[in-house]
Amino acid sequence: MFRKLLALAALTLSAPASAAVFTLCAEAWQPFIYQNAQGQPVGLAVDALGRAARAEGHRIRYLFLAPASCLRLMKEQRIDIMAFATAEGSPPGWLQTQQPLVYWVLNAWVRADNPLHHYPGLGHFSAHKVAFVDVYDYPPAITAKRDWQRVAANDSTTAVRQLAAGRVDVIFEDAVALQDVDPSLHGKIRRLQPVVASVAQPFSFRPGLELLRDAVDGEAQRLKGSGELDRFYQRHFGSTLAQVSASVAASP
């Protein structure tokens, strides 16, 4: 009987705390976190966060809103997790992931008739016309350069159209930004190597969710160690994880 009581106590101690549903707010961003045709959350981050939450006996509910709306809910303490939020952009005490899972990967894109395939450095684009998307917070490697002509663009679609039409010489975009662009324009531009700059995009957790934050970091480390993360970036961005991480810029 005593042995049975000890076994029951061990099971009780090892069992997770009562299951909780944590709310995560994010702007939809393929292929990391978005909704499929059935309205279900999918993507690399959804898979990793889901596994981490289940390991702790919990689950995650997703809200897909504009970043400003997510930030408001974050400040009002109405969500538990915000995607792609730095420490500087989070309320005091919120916890950021430390193992990179999501990167904003920027390549230089030129017109298809440009003979260049690899560029030697940003200096190559001096005196060129460059489309700058107004709402982007470009990494320092791009914002610090001044010896080119900036041409304003309202969004990524406008920037692609400007490039395809020859109104600018180069744009700095990630591969998935072209998904919402007219497919007829895809063959008119192409991506150069290597990666210009990458910015790690952490997840921010409210105070008290240290174990869940650590579990997500553990998932990111596992994906990196298994090679899954490398294959993901090669498939979606045409660059290895080593190439992406080597070009990491400090988050603005």
Side-chain angles (χ1 to χ4, degrees):
M1 181 66 175
F2 181 63
R3 189 178 295 116
K4 289 182 180 179
L5 288 173
L6 285 177
L8 180 60
L11 285 172
T12 302
L13 289 172
S14 62
S18 57
V21 178
F22 298 118
T23 300
L24 182 149
C25 194
E27 179 182 28
W29 185 12
Q30 295 190 44
F32 301 111
I33 179 169
Y34 61 104
Q35 290 176 291
N36 62 16
Q38 292 71 45
Q40 300 168 323
V42 292
L44 172 75
V46 173
D47 293 341
L49 287 158
R51 285 191 297 267
R54 287 192 296 272
E56 297 295 315
H58 309 303
R59 63 186 182 90
I60 296 175
R61 180 174 72 99
Y62 291 85
L63 292 178
F64 289 95
L65 299 171
S69 297
C70 287
L71 183 59
R72 176 176 54 79
L73 294 177
M74 188 185 198
K75 291 179 177 177
E76 294 173 354
Q77 301 183 37
R78 294 169 59 189
I79 60 173
D80 304 292
I81 311 165
M82 180 167 169
F84 325 130
T86 62
E88 293 78 9
S90 302
W94 280 61
L95 313 157
Q96 286 69 49
T97 48
Q98 301 299 308
Q99 296 297 325
L101 177 68
V102 175
Y103 293 93
W104 183 32
V105 183
L106 289 172
N107 284 86
W109 295 74
V110 296
R111 288 187 299 280
D113 59 1
N114 191 313
L116 194 67
H117 287 273
H118 290 76
Y119 74 102
L122 286 179
H124 174 82
F125 302 112
S126 296
H128 285 52
K129 291 182 179 179
V130 183
F132 266 66
V133 179
D134 296 337
V135 297
Y136 282 3
D137 199 358
Y138 288 102
I142 294 175
T143 57
K145 187 171 172 56
R146 301 294 181 185
D147 59 348
W148 52 26
Q149 182 180 343
R150 299 187 182 191
V151 178
N154 293 331
D155 50 33
S156 59
T157 300
T158 302
V160 171
R161 287 173 176 164
Q162 288 174 334
L163 178 61
R167 292 194 290 272
V168 298
D169 303 306
V170 62
I171 64 175
F172 299 107
E173 281 287 353
D174 62 25
V176 297
L178 275 62
Q179 291 175 337
D180 297 327
V181 174
D182 182 351
S184 67
L185 298 177
H186 291 188
K188 297 182 179 180
I189 68 173
R190 58 184 175 77
R191 175 176 53 195
L192 301 181
Q193 294 291 354
V195 173
V196 172
S198 298
V199 184
Q201 303 290 306
F203 290 77
S204 194
F205 294 73
R206 66 164 171 78
L209 295 185
E210 290 87 348
L211 290 178
L212 182 56
R213 188 276 309 270
D214 293 347
V216 173
D217 273 343
E219 271 297 313
Q221 194 65 24
R222 185 190 67 79
L223 290 171
K224 180 180 178 180
S226 68
E228 293 178 66
L229 206 54
D230 182 65
R231 291 189 291 274
F232 174 87
Y233 278 94
Q234 289 191 62
R235 182 168 65 254
H236 291 284
F237 298 94
S239 299
T240 66
L241 181 61
Q243 291 169 329
V244 169
S245 57
S247 62
V248 169
S251 298

